[in-house]
Amino acid sequence: MEIIQTEIEGVVILKPRVFEDDRGYFFESYSKREFDKQVREITFVQDNESKSQYGVVRGLHYQKWPFTQSKLVRVLQGRVLDVVVDIRQGSPTYGQHVAVELSGENRLQFFIPRGFAHGFAVLSQEAVFQYKCDEFYHPESEGGIAWDDPTLNIDWKLPAKDIILSKKDMVNPKFEEIEPHFHFNLDLY
């Protein structure tokens, strides 16, 4: 597995070693031993999967302390633009984001540490999205940021007229309106 660093420390892209032949392909999508050694020690407790159509934007989401989550995300089918935003006050990259295209073809995975908001936009006709979390889902702890926040200036690679949001994501607050739930100097693990 190759680890690709991003502009934000701790947010990494994982590129698996794929073995292909005339029968198809094989790759190890996750190894706790390798992940703990190369990225960080972590215990994932929940796997989730979603299927979405073209134009769906899910996010930007996070869980508040003490139920904050790390996620390891990937796409099994289709293409998405995956985005993370640093929401750790005091961080040198506070308010900055990293975006990466994930697809069934490139097989890349994206690691989102605790203290980040996360979202994705479906660029293909449909996409099957899978992710591991190191904390269970707690609905009372969820938070969100408006997908179109001008301060964040995220290019979702979709025309605004094509974007489909959940009712909940339609009313997420702007970045400057969210309460500070994380601080850069606080150990979130």
Side-chain angles (χ1 to χ4, degrees):
M1 173 185 329
E2 178 185 352
I3 305 299
I4 303 165
Q5 301 298 324
T6 68
E7 301 85 27
I8 299 179
E9 186 177 343
V11 177
V12 297
I13 300 165
L14 294 81
K15 183 177 180 181
R17 285 184 57 206
V18 180
F19 302 94
E20 295 185 76
D21 60 24
D22 57 347
R23 300 169 297 160
Y25 69 86
F26 169 85
F27 71 94
E28 193 173 77
S29 62
Y30 177 73
S31 162
K32 179 166 177 47
R33 178 182 57 225
E34 288 302 308
F35 192 90
D36 287 358
K37 184 169 70 172
Q38 294 192 56
V39 180
R40 74 170 306 124
E41 288 189 22
I42 203 161
T43 301
F44 291 111
V45 298
Q46 183 173 322
D47 280 4
N48 300 313
E49 184 172 303
S50 68
K51 181 178 178 180
S52 304
Q53 67 185 30
Y54 170 78
V56 167
V57 172
R58 293 184 186 262
L60 297 156
H61 302 148
Y62 60 92
Q63 283 199 169
K64 302 168 193 168
W65 184 261
F67 302 114
T68 185
Q69 295 177 320
S70 295
K71 295 177 183 174
L72 179 62
V73 303
R74 70 187 188 122
V75 169
L76 301 177
Q77 175 188 332
R79 290 181 322 131
V80 308
L81 181 73
D82 203 77
V83 178
V84 298
V85 177
D86 188 347
I87 58 173
R88 301 167 300 163
Q89 284 199 323
S91 165
T93 54
Y94 179 72
Q96 294 179 26
H97 70 276
V98 173
V100 63
E101 186 174 304
L102 304 177
S103 71
E105 289 77 37
N106 71 21
R107 301 181 186 103
L108 296 176
Q109 296 184 66
F110 202 22
F111 176 66
I112 300 112
R114 295 177 177 185
F116 289 79
H118 171 252
F120 66 90
V122 179
L123 307 177
S124 54
Q125 282 305 109
E126 64 180 25
V128 177
F129 188 85
Q130 189 176 67
Y131 56 107
K132 296 180 170 305
C133 301
D134 71 338
E135 175 59 67
F136 295 104
Y137 172 63
H138 294 270
E140 72 281 4
S141 181
E142 64 186 2
I145 303 169
W147 69 276
D148 60 348
D149 185 288
T151 307
L152 300 178
N153 195 31
I154 298 169
D155 178 0
W156 292 95
K157 308 292 184 197
L158 291 170
K161 67 176 182 54
D162 291 349
I163 291 179
I164 302 166
L165 300 169
S166 70
K167 289 180 183 175
K168 185 170 54 175
D169 285 342
M170 288 180 188
V171 297
N172 280 337
K174 299 289 186 200
F175 179 70
E176 62 195 26
E177 298 169 343
I178 64 170
E179 294 179 35
H181 295 285
F182 312 103
H183 195 277
F184 181 67
N185 295 321
L186 180 67
D187 182 6
L188 299 173
Y189 290 89

Short mmCIF file of all heavy atoms in Angstrom, two decimals, residues 110-137:
data_model
loop_
_atom_site.label_atom_id
_atom_site.label_comp_id
_atom_site.label_asym_id
_atom_site.label_seq_id
_atom_site.Cartn_x
_atom_site.Cartn_y
_atom_site.Cartn_z
N PHE A 110 -9.39 7.23 1.08
CA PHE A 110 -9.10 8.53 1.68
C PHE A 110 -9.31 8.38 3.17
O PHE A 110 -10.37 7.93 3.62
CB PHE A 110 -10.09 9.54 1.08
CG PHE A 110 -9.68 10.97 1.14
CD1 PHE A 110 -8.37 11.39 1.26
CD2 PHE A 110 -10.67 11.95 1.05
CE1 PHE A 110 -8.03 12.72 1.27
CE2 PHE A 110 -10.36 13.29 1.06
CZ PHE A 110 -9.03 13.68 1.18
N PHE A 111 -8.30 8.77 3.96
CA PHE A 111 -8.41 8.71 5.42
C PHE A 111 -8.71 10.10 5.95
O PHE A 111 -7.96 11.05 5.69
CB PHE A 111 -7.15 8.17 6.07
CG PHE A 111 -7.21 8.19 7.57
CD1 PHE A 111 -8.12 7.39 8.25
CD2 PHE A 111 -6.39 9.03 8.30
CE1 PHE A 111 -8.20 7.42 9.63
CE2 PHE A 111 -6.46 9.07 9.69
CZ PHE A 111 -7.36 8.26 10.36
N ILE A 112 -9.80 10.20 6.70
CA ILE A 112 -10.23 11.45 7.32
C ILE A 112 -10.09 11.31 8.82
O ILE A 112 -10.82 10.55 9.46
CB ILE A 112 -11.71 11.78 6.95
CG1 ILE A 112 -11.85 11.91 5.43
CG2 ILE A 112 -12.15 13.05 7.63
CD1 ILE A 112 -12.65 10.82 4.81
N PRO A 113 -9.14 12.03 9.43
CA PRO A 113 -8.97 11.94 10.89
C PRO A 113 -10.10 12.64 11.63
O PRO A 113 -10.90 13.38 11.05
CB PRO A 113 -7.65 12.67 11.15
CG PRO A 113 -7.03 12.93 9.83
CD PRO A 113 -8.13 12.87 8.81
N ARG A 114 -10.13 12.45 12.93
CA ARG A 114 -11.07 13.17 13.79
C ARG A 114 -10.77 14.67 13.71
O ARG A 114 -9.62 15.06 13.58
CB ARG A 114 -10.96 12.69 15.22
CG ARG A 114 -11.38 11.24 15.38
CD ARG A 114 -11.17 10.78 16.81
NE ARG A 114 -11.64 9.40 16.96
CZ ARG A 114 -11.68 8.77 18.12
NH1 ARG A 114 -11.25 9.37 19.22
NH2 ARG A 114 -12.12 7.54 18.18
N GLY A 115 -11.82 15.46 13.80
CA GLY A 115 -11.64 16.91 13.76
C GLY A 115 -11.80 17.50 12.37
O GLY A 115 -11.45 18.65 12.13
N PHE A 116 -12.39 16.72 11.46
CA PHE A 116 -12.61 17.17 10.09
C PHE A 116 -14.06 16.95 9.70
O PHE A 116 -14.68 15.97 10.11
CB PHE A 116 -11.71 16.40 9.11
CG PHE A 116 -10.27 16.77 9.22
CD1 PHE A 116 -9.47 16.26 10.23
CD2 PHE A 116 -9.69 17.64 8.31
CE1 PHE A 116 -8.13 16.62 10.35
CE2 PHE A 116 -8.36 18.01 8.41
CZ PHE A 116 -7.58 17.49 9.43
N ALA A 117 -14.59 17.86 8.87
CA ALA A 117 -15.90 17.66 8.26
C ALA A 117 -15.67 16.94 6.94
O ALA A 117 -14.63 17.11 6.30
CB ALA A 117 -16.59 18.99 8.04
N HIS A 118 -16.64 16.15 6.51
CA HIS A 118 -16.49 15.30 5.33
C HIS A 118 -17.74 15.35 4.46
O HIS A 118 -18.85 15.42 4.97
CB HIS A 118 -16.23 13.85 5.79
CG HIS A 118 -16.27 12.87 4.67
ND1 HIS A 118 -17.30 11.98 4.50
CD2 HIS A 118 -15.40 12.65 3.65
CE1 HIS A 118 -17.06 11.24 3.43
NE2 HIS A 118 -15.93 11.63 2.89
N GLY A 119 -17.52 15.30 3.17
CA GLY A 119 -18.63 15.22 2.23
C GLY A 119 -18.16 14.70 0.89
O GLY A 119 -16.96 14.61 0.63
N PHE A 120 -19.12 14.34 0.03
CA PHE A 120 -18.75 13.92 -1.32
C PHE A 120 -19.86 14.27 -2.31
O PHE A 120 -21.02 14.42 -1.93
CB PHE A 120 -18.40 12.43 -1.38
CG PHE A 120 -19.51 11.47 -1.11
CD1 PHE A 120 -20.33 10.99 -2.13
CD2 PHE A 120 -19.75 10.99 0.17
CE1 PHE A 120 -21.35 10.09 -1.90
CE2 PHE A 120 -20.77 10.08 0.43
CZ PHE A 120 -21.57 9.62 -0.61
N ALA A 121 -19.45 14.40 -3.56
CA ALA A 121 -20.36 14.70 -4.67
C ALA A 121 -20.26 13.57 -5.68
O ALA A 121 -19.15 13.16 -6.05
CB ALA A 121 -19.99 16.02 -5.32
N VAL A 122 -21.39 13.09 -6.16
CA VAL A 122 -21.41 11.99 -7.13
C VAL A 122 -21.26 12.56 -8.54
O VAL A 122 -22.09 13.34 -8.99
CB VAL A 122 -22.69 11.14 -7.00
CG1 VAL A 122 -22.70 10.02 -8.04
CG2 VAL A 122 -22.81 10.58 -5.60
N LEU A 123 -20.19 12.16 -9.23
CA LEU A 123 -19.87 12.66 -10.56
C LEU A 123 -20.31 11.72 -11.68
O LEU A 123 -20.40 12.13 -12.83
CB LEU A 123 -18.36 12.90 -10.68
CG LEU A 123 -17.73 13.78 -9.59
CD1 LEU A 123 -16.23 13.87 -9.78
CD2 LEU A 123 -18.37 15.15 -9.58
N SER A 124 -20.57 10.46 -11.36
CA SER A 124 -21.00 9.47 -12.35
C SER A 124 -22.51 9.29 -12.26
O SER A 124 -23.16 9.88 -11.39
CB SER A 124 -20.28 8.14 -12.10
OG SER A 124 -20.46 7.73 -10.76
N GLN A 125 -23.08 8.46 -13.13
CA GLN A 125 -24.53 8.22 -13.11
C GLN A 125 -25.01 7.74 -11.74
O GLN A 125 -26.08 8.10 -11.29
CB GLN A 125 -24.93 7.21 -14.19
CG GLN A 125 -24.99 7.81 -15.58
CD GLN A 125 -25.92 9.01 -15.64
OE1 GLN A 125 -25.46 10.15 -15.78
NE2 GLN A 125 -27.21 8.80 -15.53
N GLU A 126 -24.21 6.90 -11.11
CA GLU A 126 -24.45 6.49 -9.74
C GLU A 126 -23.13 6.09 -9.14
O GLU A 126 -22.15 5.86 -9.85
CB GLU A 126 -25.48 5.36 -9.63
CG GLU A 126 -25.08 4.06 -10.26
CD GLU A 126 -26.16 2.99 -10.12
OE1 GLU A 126 -27.36 3.31 -9.98
OE2 GLU A 126 -25.80 1.81 -10.15
N ALA A 127 -23.09 6.01 -7.82
CA ALA A 127 -21.86 5.60 -7.14
C ALA A 127 -22.23 4.79 -5.90
O ALA A 127 -23.21 5.09 -5.21
CB ALA A 127 -21.03 6.81 -6.74
N VAL A 128 -21.41 3.78 -5.64
CA VAL A 128 -21.52 3.00 -4.41
C VAL A 128 -20.31 3.38 -3.57
O VAL A 128 -19.16 3.19 -3.99
CB VAL A 128 -21.57 1.48 -4.69
CG1 VAL A 128 -21.61 0.71 -3.38
CG2 VAL A 128 -22.77 1.14 -5.57
N PHE A 129 -20.59 3.94 -2.40
CA PHE A 129 -19.59 4.54 -1.52
C PHE A 129 -19.52 3.71 -0.25
O PHE A 129 -20.56 3.37 0.32
CB PHE A 129 -20.04 5.98 -1.21
CG PHE A 129 -19.05 6.81 -0.48
CD1 PHE A 129 -18.06 7.49 -1.17
CD2 PHE A 129 -19.11 6.95 0.89
CE1 PHE A 129 -17.16 8.31 -0.51
CE2 PHE A 129 -18.21 7.75 1.57
CZ PHE A 129 -17.24 8.44 0.87
N GLN A 130 -18.32 3.39 0.21
CA GLN A 130 -18.16 2.55 1.40
C GLN A 130 -17.19 3.24 2.35
O GLN A 130 -16.20 3.83 1.92
CB GLN A 130 -17.62 1.19 0.98
CG GLN A 130 -17.62 0.17 2.09
CD GLN A 130 -17.15 -1.17 1.57
OE1 GLN A 130 -15.99 -1.32 1.21
NE2 GLN A 130 -18.05 -2.14 1.55
N TYR A 131 -17.49 3.16 3.65
CA TYR A 131 -16.56 3.76 4.61
C TYR A 131 -16.58 3.06 5.95
O TYR A 131 -17.58 2.53 6.39
CB TYR A 131 -16.81 5.26 4.77
CG TYR A 131 -18.20 5.68 5.16
CD1 TYR A 131 -18.47 6.14 6.45
CD2 TYR A 131 -19.24 5.68 4.24
CE1 TYR A 131 -19.73 6.57 6.81
CE2 TYR A 131 -20.51 6.11 4.58
CZ TYR A 131 -20.75 6.56 5.88
OH TYR A 131 -22.00 6.97 6.23
N LYS A 132 -15.40 3.07 6.55
CA LYS A 132 -15.19 2.53 7.89
C LYS A 132 -15.16 3.70 8.86
O LYS A 132 -14.62 4.76 8.52
CB LYS A 132 -13.86 1.79 7.98
CG LYS A 132 -13.74 0.58 7.10
CD LYS A 132 -12.36 -0.06 7.28
CE LYS A 132 -12.27 -1.40 6.61
NZ LYS A 132 -13.30 -2.35 7.01
N CYS A 133 -15.69 3.51 10.07
CA CYS A 133 -15.67 4.55 11.11
C CYS A 133 -15.07 3.96 12.38
O CYS A 133 -15.28 2.79 12.68
CB CYS A 133 -17.08 5.03 11.42
SG CYS A 133 -17.94 5.71 10.01
N ASP A 134 -14.37 4.80 13.13
CA ASP A 134 -13.79 4.33 14.39
C ASP A 134 -14.65 4.71 15.60
O ASP A 134 -14.25 4.52 16.74
CB ASP A 134 -12.35 4.82 14.57
CG ASP A 134 -12.25 6.30 14.86
OD1 ASP A 134 -13.18 7.05 14.53
OD2 ASP A 134 -11.21 6.71 15.42
N GLU A 135 -15.85 5.22 15.35
CA GLU A 135 -16.83 5.50 16.41
C GLU A 135 -18.20 5.22 15.81
O GLU A 135 -18.42 5.44 14.62
CB GLU A 135 -16.74 6.95 16.87
CG GLU A 135 -17.78 7.38 17.88
CD GLU A 135 -17.78 6.58 19.18
OE1 GLU A 135 -16.81 6.68 19.94
OE2 GLU A 135 -18.76 5.84 19.41
N PHE A 136 -19.10 4.73 16.63
CA PHE A 136 -20.45 4.46 16.16
C PHE A 136 -21.18 5.76 15.85
O PHE A 136 -20.83 6.82 16.36
CB PHE A 136 -21.24 3.66 17.20
CG PHE A 136 -20.67 2.30 17.44
CD1 PHE A 136 -19.92 2.03 18.57
CD2 PHE A 136 -20.85 1.28 16.51
CE1 PHE A 136 -19.38 0.77 18.79
CE2 PHE A 136 -20.31 0.02 16.71
CZ PHE A 136 -19.57 -0.23 17.86
N TYR A 137 -22.19 5.68 15.03
CA TYR A 137 -23.01 6.84 14.68
C TYR A 137 -23.86 7.23 15.88
O TYR A 137 -24.52 6.40 16.49
CB TYR A 137 -23.90 6.50 13.47
CG TYR A 137 -24.92 7.56 13.14
CD1 TYR A 137 -24.51 8.84 12.75
CD2 TYR A 137 -26.27 7.28 13.22
CE1 TYR A 137 -25.45 9.81 12.45
CE2 TYR A 137 -27.22 8.24 12.90
CZ TYR A 137 -26.80 9.51 12.53
OH TYR A 137 -27.73 10.47 12.22
#
